[in-house]
Amino acid sequence: MTLAEKISLLSSHCPLFSPLAQRYNMPLATGFNPGIPRLNIPALRMTDSGLGVANVLNKREGDTATALPSALSTAATFDSSIARAGGAMVGAEARAKTFNVLLAGAANIIRDPWAGRNFEYLGEDPLLVGTLAGAAIQGVQSNRIASTAKHFVLNPQETGRMIMDARIDPAALRESDLLAFEIAIELGQPASVMGPYNKINGEFGCESDELLNGVLKRDWGFRGWVMSDWGSTHSTEKAALAGLDQESGMEFDVMLNGAIFFTDRLLDAVREHRVPAARLDDMVRRVLIGMIDKGLFDHPVPSHPQPIDMQSHALVAQRVAEAGTVLLRNERNMLPLSAAVKSIVVIGGHADIGVLSGGGSSQVRSVGGAPIEIGLESGDAALFARQTWHASSPLQAIKALASGADVSFLDGTDRALAAKAAHAADMAVVFATHWRTEGVDLQSLSLTDDQDELIETVAAANPRTVVVLETGGPVLMPWMDRVSAVLAAWYPGQRGGEAIANILFGKVNPSGRLPITFPATATQAPRPEPGGLEQLRARDAAREAGDEKVRIAPFSVVYHEGANVGYRWYEIKKQKPLFAFGFGLSYTTFSYSNLAAIGGSAPRVTLDITNTGPVAGADVPQIYVRATGADGTTTWRLAGFARIEIDPGVTRRVVIPLEPRTYARWDEASRKWIFASDELQIAVGRSATDLVLRSTM
Ligand code: BGC
């Protein structure tokens, strides 16, 4: 390869802003690199694909794809095979649409309940996140295309995301956010890893020698390439020497950071030996290894879009929604709805038309289009996000299953009318929606638009009220004690309506478990609100007043909870959340017996599970191990889990492998995991706070 050819592989363009997109006939997606025809090096054709092949703002007019539910729904299945099937489906669609690099594999753990991108992530526990992200990456890459794992690492909030500095103890980082990536990368073997926007411990993630060269490449032996996020390259020499291999969407760096860093500037740096020739070769080799290893050379993607079996793909999305919806409350077995119900009033959430989705770069234009789309007037997401509903009507799906019942709909804007209708009906189903998007954090965990008042009013008129939540994470539920049942459906994807109706009527027995703690109050969480919020408010006020120049100054957030994220934080603080990590009800019941643990190099537990209830269902036994971290705190930690379908009256013996790093301690001095040699307490739980049987290992 000539020097120019080598350099040419180390950056990508954004087709939305690059004049070259037309010349190379690139779809209006996220990124591309033209490749090197002289050497038969194929083009990199990149698309966001975390929840389906994205089509942000419908730039590729009419190019629809299958929309999975939010990643929280996949996480709530606690099932690798479901995560893998989702990835495989998305990868197949991407390939058919001529893409060969998928910006997927989101493996950040959720630290804050209010963070804007929580719906794109797999929860708060490193083992759950790493295992399912790894499986999703495997699924994508089974199509002989490349996937990323992103955003490496600790990319925790949207407020000031380009400038904030996330500060954390290095050992705690290993035991939490890094552990999730370590597991995801081991299992998924992604071709590429994407760096974040923000700084971690004082360095931009894409300039961190410690994280890129040190942890990822040296300690973990990662052989593929590190790409930046779109607009997260800030330098040439420093970034290249720290381990960044490819500058993504270079037009973003022009807009956000004032220059392109990995084209002419990199060429100069190599010529002047500021970046050694050997490092340049390493960068190129890494891109090529990722491409060759995943099949981009041997199995080129089609040059023109191919037909897709949307029917069968929709079933993949529906399966995730059905297994990932969490039944949070079910007083007096209100659900499943009996066939004898005579009248149902469905209220709110645009349930007559569709289901809500989350906003930002992951936005899928789903099959059936976007029946409702609401643009934003202001704010950091206004340029690239709209509130978008998928065309899957819960109302229609309920009508289809409620044979004989009178099913009516009210949009919920008139509370008095809703109360009257609820009073007159056998029961009410209120759909509550709560939108989140990339680019903006929530300022409150409360439902918006008077939906709390709507639920209170309806429940007061008829206690036989079921609330279906379509949210991108936890919300506060002041009305909890007044309603009969609550379903957390997350953003349920393009078959969400059907999935919700199937669960309401018992065609599907709910088996989802919370992948994230639901706090009882906002102040229970480590940070009640995003860092930098005051500055953001001041900036927005200045903008309102016509001053566009005010910027948010760089700030840092100290992650003082360290590795004690989510349920571990609640344990240490002795706080009772509204709903614990791992919690979820079923229409049947399960009992546990004969818990036994085997330690050593392949640690595992065996357990008997009996379905003691009336119907078939899936249980999610969770194995927690009590362990002490580098900071000296001792908590229960999820060390293994399974999702098992069991018929009524049947007992199944399960063997659940444990991940030892979840109960090890990271020793920063020796850069090694240290395993306690003594006896460990273990437990099987129905959630992080409901440990049913204990044993030792
Ligand atoms: C997001 C990434 C995404 C990229 C390209 C960024 O804003 O953080 O997740 O892959 O845009 O769209």
Coordinates of all heavy atoms in Angstrom, one line a residue, residues 30 48 103 117 150-151 161 194 197 229-230 361 438, ligand 1:
T30 N -25.0 6.6 8.0 CA -24.1 7.2 9.0 C -22.7 7.5 8.6 O -22.2 8.6 8.9 CB -24.1 6.3 10.3 OG1 -25.4 5.8 10.5 CG2 -23.6 7.1 11.5
D48 N -26.0 3.1 11.8 CA -26.4 2.9 13.2 C -27.4 1.8 13.1 O -28.3 1.7 12.2 CB -27.1 4.2 13.7 CG -26.0 5.1 14.3 OD1 -25.2 4.7 15.1 OD2 -26.0 6.3 13.8
L103 N -23.0 0.1 13.6 CA -22.7 0.8 14.8 C -23.7 0.4 15.9 O -24.7 1.0 16.1 CB -22.7 2.3 14.5 CG -22.0 2.7 13.3 CD1 -22.2 4.2 12.9 CD2 -20.5 2.4 13.4
R117 N -30.1 8.3 27.1 CA -29.9 7.1 26.2 C -30.2 5.8 26.9 O -29.8 4.8 26.3 CB -28.5 7.1 25.6 CG -28.2 8.3 24.7 CD -26.9 8.2 24.0 NE -27.0 7.4 22.8 CZ -26.0 7.4 21.8 NH1 -24.9 8.0 22.0 NH2 -26.2 6.7 20.7
K150 N -19.8 -0.2 21.6 CA -19.7 1.2 21.9 C -20.4 1.6 23.2 O -21.2 0.7 23.6 CB -20.3 2.0 20.7 CG -21.9 1.9 20.6 CD -22.4 2.6 19.3 CE -23.9 2.6 19.3 NZ -24.4 3.3 18.1
H151 N -20.2 2.7 23.8 CA -19.2 3.7 23.5 C -18.2 3.6 24.6 O -18.5 3.8 25.8 CB -19.9 5.1 23.6 CG -21.2 5.2 22.8 ND1 -22.4 4.7 23.3 CD2 -21.5 5.6 21.6 CE1 -23.4 4.9 22.5 NE2 -22.8 5.4 21.4
R161 N -22.3 16.3 26.9 CA -21.6 15.0 26.6 C -20.3 15.2 25.8 O -19.4 14.3 25.8 CB -22.5 14.1 25.8 CG -22.9 14.5 24.4 CD -23.7 13.4 23.7 NE -24.3 13.8 22.5 CZ -24.7 12.9 21.5 NH1 -24.6 11.6 21.7 NH2 -25.2 13.4 20.4
M194 N -16.0 1.5 19.4 CA -16.2 3.0 19.2 C -15.9 3.7 20.5 O -16.4 3.3 21.6 CB -17.6 3.3 18.7 CG -17.8 4.8 18.4 SD -19.6 5.2 18.3 CE -20.1 4.4 16.8
Y197 N -17.7 10.4 23.4 CA -17.5 11.8 23.2 C -16.7 12.4 24.4 O -15.9 13.3 24.2 CB -18.9 12.6 23.2 CG -19.6 12.5 21.8 CD1 -20.8 11.9 21.7 CD2 -19.0 13.0 20.7 CE1 -21.5 11.8 20.5 CE2 -19.6 12.9 19.5 CZ -20.8 12.3 19.4 OH -21.5 12.2 18.2
D229 N -16.3 8.3 17.9 CA -17.7 8.6 17.7 C -17.7 9.8 16.7 O -16.7 10.3 16.3 CB -18.4 9.0 19.0 CG -20.0 8.8 18.9 OD1 -20.5 8.9 17.8 OD2 -20.6 8.7 20.0
W230 N -18.9 10.1 16.2 CA -19.0 11.1 15.2 C -18.8 12.5 15.8 O -19.7 13.1 16.4 CB -20.4 11.0 14.5 CG -20.4 10.0 13.3 CD1 -20.7 10.3 12.0 CD2 -20.0 8.7 13.3 NE1 -20.5 9.2 11.2 CE2 -20.0 8.2 12.0 CE3 -19.5 7.8 14.3 CZ2 -19.7 6.9 11.6 CZ3 -19.2 6.5 13.9 CH2 -19.3 6.1 12.6
S361 N -29.8 8.9 17.1 CA -29.1 8.2 16.0 C -29.6 6.7 15.9 O -29.4 6.1 14.8 CB -27.6 8.2 16.2 OG -27.2 7.6 17.5
E438 N -31.4 10.5 22.7 CA -30.0 10.8 22.7 C -29.9 12.4 22.7 O -30.7 13.0 22.1 CB -29.4 10.3 21.4 CG -27.9 10.6 21.3 CD -27.3 10.1 20.0 OE1 -27.9 9.2 19.3 OE2 -26.2 10.6 19.6
Ligands
BGC1 C1 -23.8 8.5 18.8 C2 -23.4 7.1 18.3 C3 -23.7 6.9 16.8 C4 -23.1 8.0 16.0 C5 -23.3 8.0 14.6 C6 -23.4 9.6 17.8 O1 -24.1 10.7 18.2 O2 -23.2 8.7 20.0 O3 -24.0 6.1 19.1 O4 -23.3 5.7 16.4 O5 -23.6 9.3 16.5 O6 -24.7 8.3 14.3

